Amino acid sequence: MAGPCCSTSLRAVVFDFDSIISVGIIKRDKFVMAMDFNEQLIQSLSAEEQIENFGGEDRIRKFCAFLGALRSVGIELYIISTGFKYLFAPLMQAVGLLEYFPDEHVFGQIEQVARTGGCIKGRLIQQIRDEHGWANTDVLFIDDSASNIADAKDVCLTYHIPQSEEFGRHGMWDEHFA
């Protein structure tokens, strides 16, 4: 396993959802993100649009293989998103990605606020890390937001995947799954 998850000492990988797991699509002139103001838009996505939102069937297969490889070596998988779990979890379920993440490891905005009082991803990662007795180097956080990465840099390893200028190429791709 190479790419951002090649460390043999990792105990957990924490993924952002929008623009990391999903790649985003445009529908009705709006960028599809798992935010409450997009609820009707997200719920109107066809099966084909849901697949497209994750980069297509080939990317979904590769992502599933990647997540399966991480789990097969004992790495725990988490999602921490400022999006809403009630919106992104069904999308992930529809394409077969949710099965890699236990429900108690999936945090949207509501779950973050309930647990930490805010939406600072680094704070939640620290809580998770401390509950398990993990060191900073045992946890890797992958996000597209430089500010989220900055908030977490002192509590875990971080890997920043900036949003591509090429629309539809946001998120993790072949070079990250290698």
Side-chain angles (χ1 to χ4, degrees), residues 15-24 31 53-55 59 63 142-144 159-177:
F15 298 89
D16 177 34
F17 175 73
D18 284 313
S19 296
I20 292 297
I21 295 175
S22 71
V23 301
F31 183 64
N53 191 47
F54 290 96
R59 180 178 180 271
F63 214 129
I142 303 171
D143 203 298
D144 64 311
Y159 190 80
H160 183 218
I161 301 176
Q163 290 186 4
S164 170
E165 293 194 19
E166 178 186 348
F167 189 78
R169 288 289 299 174
H170 293 185
M172 296 179 70
W173 288 88
D174 291 350
E175 62 270 23
H176 305 110
F177 302 141

mmCIF file of all heavy atoms in Angstrom, residues 15-24 31 53-55 59 63 142-144 159-177:
data_model
loop_
_atom_site.group_PDB
_atom_site.id
_atom_site.type_symbol
_atom_site.label_atom_id
_atom_site.label_comp_id
_atom_site.label_asym_id
_atom_site.label_seq_id
_atom_site.Cartn_x
_atom_site.Cartn_y
_atom_site.Cartn_z
ATOM 1 N N PHE A 15 -11.431 10.431 6.991
ATOM 2 C CA PHE A 15 -11.696 11.051 5.696
ATOM 3 C C PHE A 15 -12.723 12.165 5.849
ATOM 4 O O PHE A 15 -13.696 12.029 6.586
ATOM 5 C CB PHE A 15 -12.292 10.032 4.716
ATOM 6 C CG PHE A 15 -11.409 8.871 4.393
ATOM 7 C CD1 PHE A 15 -11.429 7.722 5.162
ATOM 8 C CD2 PHE A 15 -10.565 8.916 3.290
ATOM 9 C CE1 PHE A 15 -10.620 6.639 4.856
ATOM 10 C CE2 PHE A 15 -9.753 7.844 2.972
ATOM 11 C CZ PHE A 15 -9.779 6.702 3.753
ATOM 12 N N ASP A 16 -12.542 13.224 5.083
ATOM 13 C CA ASP A 16 -13.602 14.192 4.846
ATOM 14 C C ASP A 16 -14.538 13.554 3.815
ATOM 15 O O ASP A 16 -14.144 12.625 3.108
ATOM 16 C CB ASP A 16 -12.987 15.493 4.306
ATOM 17 C CG ASP A 16 -14.021 16.546 3.964
ATOM 18 O OD1 ASP A 16 -15.056 16.628 4.649
ATOM 19 O OD2 ASP A 16 -13.792 17.300 3.000
ATOM 20 N N PHE A 17 -15.767 14.049 3.719
ATOM 21 C CA PHE A 17 -16.684 13.500 2.713
ATOM 22 C C PHE A 17 -16.644 14.296 1.411
ATOM 23 O O PHE A 17 -16.175 13.804 0.392
ATOM 24 C CB PHE A 17 -18.131 13.422 3.242
ATOM 25 C CG PHE A 17 -19.081 12.978 2.170
ATOM 26 C CD1 PHE A 17 -19.092 11.658 1.757
ATOM 27 C CD2 PHE A 17 -19.918 13.882 1.533
ATOM 28 C CE1 PHE A 17 -19.926 11.241 0.716
ATOM 29 C CE2 PHE A 17 -20.766 13.471 0.509
ATOM 30 C CZ PHE A 17 -20.770 12.149 0.100
ATOM 31 N N ASP A 18 -17.173 15.536 1.440
ATOM 32 C CA ASP A 18 -17.267 16.325 0.214
ATOM 33 C C ASP A 18 -15.877 16.628 -0.341
ATOM 34 O O ASP A 18 -15.011 17.130 0.368
ATOM 35 C CB ASP A 18 -18.013 17.644 0.472
ATOM 36 C CG ASP A 18 -19.519 17.450 0.599
ATOM 37 O OD1 ASP A 18 -20.102 16.760 -0.251
ATOM 38 O OD2 ASP A 18 -20.098 17.990 1.564
ATOM 39 N N SER A 19 -15.663 16.295 -1.592
ATOM 40 C CA SER A 19 -14.422 16.554 -2.332
ATOM 41 C C SER A 19 -13.241 15.714 -1.863
ATOM 42 O O SER A 19 -12.101 15.994 -2.224
ATOM 43 C CB SER A 19 -14.056 18.047 -2.318
ATOM 44 O OG SER A 19 -15.052 18.780 -3.003
ATOM 45 N N ILE A 20 -13.509 14.663 -1.081
ATOM 46 C CA ILE A 20 -12.501 13.643 -0.783
ATOM 47 C C ILE A 20 -13.083 12.284 -1.150
ATOM 48 O O ILE A 20 -12.599 11.616 -2.039
ATOM 49 C CB ILE A 20 -12.032 13.682 0.693
ATOM 50 C CG1 ILE A 20 -11.242 14.960 0.964
ATOM 51 C CG2 ILE A 20 -11.165 12.441 1.020
ATOM 52 C CD1 ILE A 20 -9.941 15.120 0.174
ATOM 53 N N ILE A 21 -14.150 11.883 -0.462
ATOM 54 C CA ILE A 21 -14.825 10.646 -0.845
ATOM 55 C C ILE A 21 -15.692 10.909 -2.076
ATOM 56 O O ILE A 21 -15.641 10.171 -3.048
ATOM 57 C CB ILE A 21 -15.661 10.080 0.324
ATOM 58 C CG1 ILE A 21 -14.728 9.672 1.478
ATOM 59 C CG2 ILE A 21 -16.502 8.892 -0.141
ATOM 60 C CD1 ILE A 21 -15.450 9.212 2.734
ATOM 61 N N SER A 22 -16.482 11.962 -2.029
ATOM 62 C CA SER A 22 -17.257 12.337 -3.214
ATOM 63 C C SER A 22 -16.405 13.254 -4.088
ATOM 64 O O SER A 22 -15.453 13.859 -3.606
ATOM 65 C CB SER A 22 -18.547 13.062 -2.820
ATOM 66 O OG SER A 22 -18.259 14.352 -2.331
ATOM 67 N N VAL A 23 -16.764 13.344 -5.357
ATOM 68 C CA VAL A 23 -16.035 14.238 -6.257
ATOM 69 C C VAL A 23 -16.863 15.451 -6.629
ATOM 70 O O VAL A 23 -16.342 16.445 -7.107
ATOM 71 C CB VAL A 23 -15.542 13.524 -7.542
ATOM 72 C CG1 VAL A 23 -14.632 12.364 -7.183
ATOM 73 C CG2 VAL A 23 -16.690 13.069 -8.421
ATOM 74 N N GLY A 24 -18.158 15.363 -6.390
ATOM 75 C CA GLY A 24 -19.047 16.483 -6.687
ATOM 76 C C GLY A 24 -19.491 16.524 -8.129
ATOM 77 O O GLY A 24 -18.737 16.189 -9.037
ATOM 78 N N PHE A 31 -23.465 23.059 -7.182
ATOM 79 C CA PHE A 31 -22.495 22.040 -6.821
ATOM 80 C C PHE A 31 -23.126 21.174 -5.739
ATOM 81 O O PHE A 31 -23.584 21.683 -4.723
ATOM 82 C CB PHE A 31 -21.205 22.693 -6.324
ATOM 83 C CG PHE A 31 -20.109 21.722 -5.995
ATOM 84 C CD1 PHE A 31 -19.547 20.922 -6.971
ATOM 85 C CD2 PHE A 31 -19.624 21.619 -4.694
ATOM 86 C CE1 PHE A 31 -18.524 20.031 -6.669
ATOM 87 C CE2 PHE A 31 -18.603 20.741 -4.386
ATOM 88 C CZ PHE A 31 -18.053 19.938 -5.384
ATOM 89 N N ASN A 53 -21.459 11.265 -8.821
ATOM 90 C CA ASN A 53 -21.023 12.074 -7.689
ATOM 91 C C ASN A 53 -19.824 11.459 -6.964
ATOM 92 O O ASN A 53 -19.102 12.154 -6.260
ATOM 93 C CB ASN A 53 -22.191 12.284 -6.706
ATOM 94 C CG ASN A 53 -21.885 13.320 -5.656
ATOM 95 O OD1 ASN A 53 -21.396 14.400 -5.952
ATOM 96 N ND2 ASN A 53 -22.176 12.984 -4.422
ATOM 97 N N PHE A 54 -19.619 10.154 -7.163
ATOM 98 C CA PHE A 54 -18.467 9.469 -6.577
ATOM 99 C C PHE A 54 -17.403 9.154 -7.623
ATOM 100 O O PHE A 54 -16.507 8.364 -7.365
ATOM 101 C CB PHE A 54 -18.920 8.204 -5.849
ATOM 102 C CG PHE A 54 -19.685 8.501 -4.593
ATOM 103 C CD1 PHE A 54 -21.070 8.517 -4.596
ATOM 104 C CD2 PHE A 54 -19.025 8.806 -3.417
ATOM 105 C CE1 PHE A 54 -21.783 8.807 -3.450
ATOM 106 C CE2 PHE A 54 -19.727 9.106 -2.259
ATOM 107 C CZ PHE A 54 -21.112 9.108 -2.269
ATOM 108 N N GLY A 55 -17.492 9.771 -8.796
ATOM 109 C CA GLY A 55 -16.455 9.627 -9.803
ATOM 110 C C GLY A 55 -16.646 8.477 -10.771
ATOM 111 O O GLY A 55 -15.744 8.153 -11.533
ATOM 112 N N ARG A 59 -13.981 4.350 -10.265
ATOM 113 C CA ARG A 59 -13.433 4.980 -9.061
ATOM 114 C C ARG A 59 -14.046 4.377 -7.804
ATOM 115 O O ARG A 59 -13.356 4.134 -6.811
ATOM 116 C CB ARG A 59 -13.657 6.497 -9.066
ATOM 117 C CG ARG A 59 -13.074 7.166 -7.811
ATOM 118 C CD ARG A 59 -13.254 8.684 -7.849
ATOM 119 N NE ARG A 59 -12.712 9.319 -6.663
ATOM 120 C CZ ARG A 59 -13.411 9.533 -5.541
ATOM 121 N NH1 ARG A 59 -14.688 9.168 -5.455
ATOM 122 N NH2 ARG A 59 -12.839 10.116 -4.500
ATOM 123 N N PHE A 63 -11.995 2.700 -4.859
ATOM 124 C CA PHE A 63 -12.121 3.228 -3.496
ATOM 125 C C PHE A 63 -12.501 2.098 -2.536
ATOM 126 O O PHE A 63 -11.952 1.982 -1.440
ATOM 127 C CB PHE A 63 -13.148 4.362 -3.439
ATOM 128 C CG PHE A 63 -12.817 5.435 -2.443
ATOM 129 C CD1 PHE A 63 -12.823 6.762 -2.814
ATOM 130 C CD2 PHE A 63 -12.505 5.143 -1.132
ATOM 131 C CE1 PHE A 63 -12.517 7.770 -1.917
ATOM 132 C CE2 PHE A 63 -12.197 6.141 -0.211
ATOM 133 C CZ PHE A 63 -12.210 7.448 -0.605
ATOM 134 N N ILE A 142 -7.394 13.043 6.165
ATOM 135 C CA ILE A 142 -7.345 13.431 4.760
ATOM 136 C C ILE A 142 -8.489 14.402 4.486
ATOM 137 O O ILE A 142 -9.656 14.067 4.696
ATOM 138 C CB ILE A 142 -7.459 12.197 3.842
ATOM 139 C CG1 ILE A 142 -6.352 11.188 4.157
ATOM 140 C CG2 ILE A 142 -7.426 12.614 2.375
ATOM 141 C CD1 ILE A 142 -6.511 9.851 3.447
ATOM 142 N N ASP A 143 -8.159 15.599 4.000
ATOM 143 C CA ASP A 143 -9.176 16.634 3.779
ATOM 144 C C ASP A 143 -8.734 17.524 2.623
ATOM 145 O O ASP A 143 -7.548 17.604 2.310
ATOM 146 C CB ASP A 143 -9.339 17.471 5.052
ATOM 147 C CG ASP A 143 -10.684 18.175 5.142
ATOM 148 O OD1 ASP A 143 -10.974 19.024 4.269
ATOM 149 O OD2 ASP A 143 -11.436 17.918 6.087
ATOM 150 N N ASP A 144 -9.717 18.216 2.016
ATOM 151 C CA ASP A 144 -9.420 19.154 0.943
ATOM 152 C C ASP A 144 -9.281 20.582 1.443
ATOM 153 O O ASP A 144 -8.849 21.456 0.703
ATOM 154 C CB ASP A 144 -10.504 19.100 -0.145
ATOM 155 C CG ASP A 144 -11.858 19.535 0.369
ATOM 156 O OD1 ASP A 144 -12.292 19.046 1.429
ATOM 157 O OD2 ASP A 144 -12.512 20.362 -0.295
ATOM 158 N N TYR A 159 -3.005 14.857 5.530
ATOM 159 C CA TYR A 159 -2.742 14.779 4.096
ATOM 160 C C TYR A 159 -3.752 15.669 3.397
ATOM 161 O O TYR A 159 -4.966 15.402 3.441
ATOM 162 C CB TYR A 159 -2.865 13.328 3.612
ATOM 163 C CG TYR A 159 -2.380 13.116 2.201
ATOM 164 C CD1 TYR A 159 -1.020 12.982 1.926
ATOM 165 C CD2 TYR A 159 -3.279 13.042 1.152
ATOM 166 C CE1 TYR A 159 -0.574 12.787 0.628
ATOM 167 C CE2 TYR A 159 -2.841 12.837 -0.150
ATOM 168 C CZ TYR A 159 -1.484 12.710 -0.404
ATOM 169 O OH TYR A 159 -1.044 12.520 -1.691
ATOM 170 N N HIS A 160 -3.254 16.726 2.781
ATOM 171 C CA HIS A 160 -4.108 17.713 2.132
ATOM 172 C C HIS A 160 -4.226 17.382 0.650
ATOM 173 O O HIS A 160 -3.220 17.262 -0.055
ATOM 174 C CB HIS A 160 -3.504 19.113 2.324
ATOM 175 C CG HIS A 160 -4.341 20.208 1.762
ATOM 176 N ND1 HIS A 160 -3.798 21.299 1.137
ATOM 177 C CD2 HIS A 160 -5.679 20.396 1.730
ATOM 178 C CE1 HIS A 160 -4.759 22.115 0.755
ATOM 179 N NE2 HIS A 160 -5.923 21.581 1.098
ATOM 180 N N ILE A 161 -5.457 17.235 0.174
ATOM 181 C CA ILE A 161 -5.723 17.036 -1.247
ATOM 182 C C ILE A 161 -6.525 18.249 -1.708
ATOM 183 O O ILE A 161 -7.749 18.277 -1.576
ATOM 184 C CB ILE A 161 -6.502 15.734 -1.526
ATOM 185 C CG1 ILE A 161 -5.729 14.522 -1.007
ATOM 186 C CG2 ILE A 161 -6.784 15.599 -3.031
ATOM 187 C CD1 ILE A 161 -6.463 13.205 -1.160
ATOM 188 N N PRO A 162 -5.840 19.276 -2.196
ATOM 189 C CA PRO A 162 -6.562 20.478 -2.636
ATOM 190 C C PRO A 162 -7.537 20.146 -3.757
ATOM 191 O O PRO A 162 -7.301 19.233 -4.548
ATOM 192 C CB PRO A 162 -5.458 21.408 -3.134
ATOM 193 C CG PRO A 162 -4.171 20.808 -2.698
ATOM 194 C CD PRO A 162 -4.410 19.357 -2.449
ATOM 195 N N GLN A 163 -8.609 20.906 -3.807
ATOM 196 C CA GLN A 163 -9.570 20.704 -4.892
ATOM 197 C C GLN A 163 -8.897 20.997 -6.223
ATOM 198 O O GLN A 163 -8.240 22.009 -6.391
ATOM 199 C CB GLN A 163 -10.789 21.605 -4.713
ATOM 200 C CG GLN A 163 -11.659 21.193 -3.567
ATOM 201 C CD GLN A 163 -12.939 22.001 -3.504
ATOM 202 O OE1 GLN A 163 -13.229 22.821 -4.358
ATOM 203 N NE2 GLN A 163 -13.720 21.755 -2.472
ATOM 204 N N SER A 164 -9.096 20.080 -7.149
ATOM 205 C CA SER A 164 -8.553 20.233 -8.486
ATOM 206 C C SER A 164 -9.255 21.384 -9.200
ATOM 207 O O SER A 164 -10.428 21.649 -8.968
ATOM 208 C CB SER A 164 -8.779 18.933 -9.270
ATOM 209 O OG SER A 164 -8.473 19.108 -10.622
ATOM 210 N N GLU A 165 -8.520 22.053 -10.064
ATOM 211 C CA GLU A 165 -9.151 23.078 -10.888
ATOM 212 C C GLU A 165 -9.996 22.443 -11.985
ATOM 213 O O GLU A 165 -10.856 23.089 -12.560
ATOM 214 C CB GLU A 165 -8.089 24.008 -11.478
ATOM 215 C CG GLU A 165 -7.426 24.831 -10.389
ATOM 216 C CD GLU A 165 -6.624 25.979 -10.938
ATOM 217 O OE1 GLU A 165 -6.841 26.378 -12.090
ATOM 218 O OE2 GLU A 165 -5.777 26.483 -10.183
ATOM 219 N N GLU A 166 -9.753 21.165 -12.245
ATOM 220 C CA GLU A 166 -10.533 20.429 -13.238
ATOM 221 C C GLU A 166 -11.776 19.886 -12.554
ATOM 222 O O GLU A 166 -11.699 18.995 -11.701
ATOM 223 C CB GLU A 166 -9.712 19.279 -13.822
ATOM 224 C CG GLU A 166 -10.454 18.451 -14.825
ATOM 225 C CD GLU A 166 -9.654 17.232 -15.273
ATOM 226 O OE1 GLU A 166 -8.457 17.141 -14.980
ATOM 227 O OE2 GLU A 166 -10.269 16.375 -15.919
ATOM 228 N N PHE A 167 -12.929 20.445 -12.877
ATOM 229 C CA PHE A 167 -14.151 20.017 -12.229
ATOM 230 C C PHE A 167 -14.394 18.537 -12.496
ATOM 231 O O PHE A 167 -14.158 18.043 -13.580
ATOM 232 C CB PHE A 167 -15.359 20.840 -12.685
ATOM 233 C CG PHE A 167 -16.555 20.539 -11.846
ATOM 234 C CD1 PHE A 167 -16.673 21.092 -10.583
ATOM 235 C CD2 PHE A 167 -17.509 19.648 -12.262
ATOM 236 C CE1 PHE A 167 -17.738 20.764 -9.762
ATOM 237 C CE2 PHE A 167 -18.580 19.318 -11.463
ATOM 238 C CZ PHE A 167 -18.691 19.888 -10.210
ATOM 239 N N GLY A 168 -14.850 17.834 -11.479
ATOM 240 C CA GLY A 168 -15.077 16.405 -11.584
ATOM 241 C C GLY A 168 -13.853 15.589 -11.210
ATOM 242 O O GLY A 168 -13.897 14.362 -11.210
ATOM 243 N N ARG A 169 -12.742 16.259 -10.875
ATOM 244 C CA ARG A 169 -11.524 15.565 -10.445
ATOM 245 C C ARG A 169 -11.216 15.872 -8.978
ATOM 246 O O ARG A 169 -10.110 15.653 -8.530
ATOM 247 C CB ARG A 169 -10.330 15.953 -11.316
ATOM 248 C CG ARG A 169 -10.343 15.409 -12.706
ATOM 249 C CD ARG A 169 -10.095 13.935 -12.783
ATOM 250 N NE ARG A 169 -8.791 13.588 -12.237
ATOM 251 C CZ ARG A 169 -8.357 12.356 -12.075
ATOM 252 N NH1 ARG A 169 -9.110 11.345 -12.396
ATOM 253 N NH2 ARG A 169 -7.174 12.115 -11.574
ATOM 254 N N HIS A 170 -12.188 16.374 -8.251
ATOM 255 C CA HIS A 170 -11.994 16.594 -6.818
ATOM 256 C C HIS A 170 -11.868 15.232 -6.143
ATOM 257 O O HIS A 170 -12.339 14.228 -6.653
ATOM 258 C CB HIS A 170 -13.189 17.339 -6.219
ATOM 259 C CG HIS A 170 -13.334 18.740 -6.718
ATOM 260 N ND1 HIS A 170 -14.278 19.593 -6.227
ATOM 261 C CD2 HIS A 170 -12.675 19.450 -7.654
ATOM 262 C CE1 HIS A 170 -14.188 20.756 -6.833
ATOM 263 N NE2 HIS A 170 -13.232 20.688 -7.717
ATOM 264 N N GLY A 171 -11.241 15.204 -4.993
ATOM 265 C CA GLY A 171 -11.201 13.987 -4.194
ATOM 266 C C GLY A 171 -10.000 13.114 -4.459
ATOM 267 O O GLY A 171 -9.012 13.525 -5.054
ATOM 268 N N MET A 172 -10.100 11.894 -3.958
ATOM 269 C CA MET A 172 -9.030 10.909 -4.081
ATOM 270 C C MET A 172 -9.200 10.151 -5.391
ATOM 271 O O MET A 172 -10.303 9.733 -5.733
ATOM 272 C CB MET A 172 -9.070 9.940 -2.891
ATOM 273 C CG MET A 172 -8.794 10.633 -1.565
ATOM 274 S SD MET A 172 -8.865 9.498 -0.152
ATOM 275 C CE MET A 172 -7.386 8.530 -0.453
ATOM 276 N N TRP A 173 -8.077 9.942 -6.090
ATOM 277 C CA TRP A 173 -8.073 9.243 -7.365
ATOM 278 C C TRP A 173 -6.962 8.197 -7.378
ATOM 279 O O TRP A 173 -6.360 7.924 -6.350
ATOM 280 C CB TRP A 173 -7.930 10.238 -8.526
ATOM 281 C CG TRP A 173 -9.197 11.034 -8.707
ATOM 282 C CD1 TRP A 173 -9.525 12.209 -8.089
ATOM 283 C CD2 TRP A 173 -10.332 10.676 -9.492
ATOM 284 N NE1 TRP A 173 -10.781 12.605 -8.460
ATOM 285 C CE2 TRP A 173 -11.310 11.699 -9.323
ATOM 286 C CE3 TRP A 173 -10.621 9.614 -10.339
ATOM 287 C CZ2 TRP A 173 -12.542 11.667 -9.963
ATOM 288 C CZ3 TRP A 173 -11.850 9.590 -10.980
ATOM 289 C CH2 TRP A 173 -12.803 10.607 -10.794
ATOM 290 N N ASP A 174 -6.670 7.649 -8.539
ATOM 291 C CA ASP A 174 -5.720 6.551 -8.660
ATOM 292 C C ASP A 174 -4.413 6.799 -7.922
ATOM 293 O O ASP A 174 -3.899 5.900 -7.261
ATOM 294 C CB ASP A 174 -5.416 6.259 -10.140
ATOM 295 C CG ASP A 174 -6.607 5.673 -10.878
ATOM 296 O OD1 ASP A 174 -7.600 5.321 -10.213
ATOM 297 O OD2 ASP A 174 -6.539 5.582 -12.111
ATOM 298 N N GLU A 175 -3.876 7.990 -8.032
ATOM 299 C CA GLU A 175 -2.584 8.275 -7.400
ATOM 300 C C GLU A 175 -2.639 8.169 -5.876
ATOM 301 O O GLU A 175 -1.617 7.954 -5.228
ATOM 302 C CB GLU A 175 -2.031 9.652 -7.827
ATOM 303 C CG GLU A 175 -2.896 10.838 -7.428
ATOM 304 C CD GLU A 175 -3.940 11.247 -8.454
ATOM 305 O OE1 GLU A 175 -4.337 10.422 -9.307
ATOM 306 O OE2 GLU A 175 -4.389 12.413 -8.385
ATOM 307 N N HIS A 176 -3.819 8.283 -5.302
ATOM 308 C CA HIS A 176 -3.984 8.159 -3.853
ATOM 309 C C HIS A 176 -4.280 6.733 -3.423
ATOM 310 O O HIS A 176 -4.095 6.389 -2.258
ATOM 311 C CB HIS A 176 -5.107 9.090 -3.365
ATOM 312 C CG HIS A 176 -4.896 10.502 -3.761
ATOM 313 N ND1 HIS A 176 -5.681 11.134 -4.711
ATOM 314 C CD2 HIS A 176 -3.978 11.420 -3.370
ATOM 315 C CE1 HIS A 176 -5.248 12.373 -4.873
ATOM 316 N NE2 HIS A 176 -4.231 12.571 -4.080
ATOM 317 N N PHE A 177 -4.759 5.912 -4.346
ATOM 318 C CA PHE A 177 -5.100 4.541 -4.025
ATOM 319 C C PHE A 177 -3.931 3.576 -4.226
ATOM 320 O O PHE A 177 -4.022 2.421 -3.850
ATOM 321 C CB PHE A 177 -6.273 4.043 -4.900
ATOM 322 C CG PHE A 177 -7.523 4.863 -4.772
ATOM 323 C CD1 PHE A 177 -8.303 5.132 -5.891
ATOM 324 C CD2 PHE A 177 -7.944 5.355 -3.542
ATOM 325 C CE1 PHE A 177 -9.474 5.870 -5.783
ATOM 326 C CE2 PHE A 177 -9.104 6.088 -3.432
ATOM 327 C CZ PHE A 177 -9.878 6.366 -4.551
#
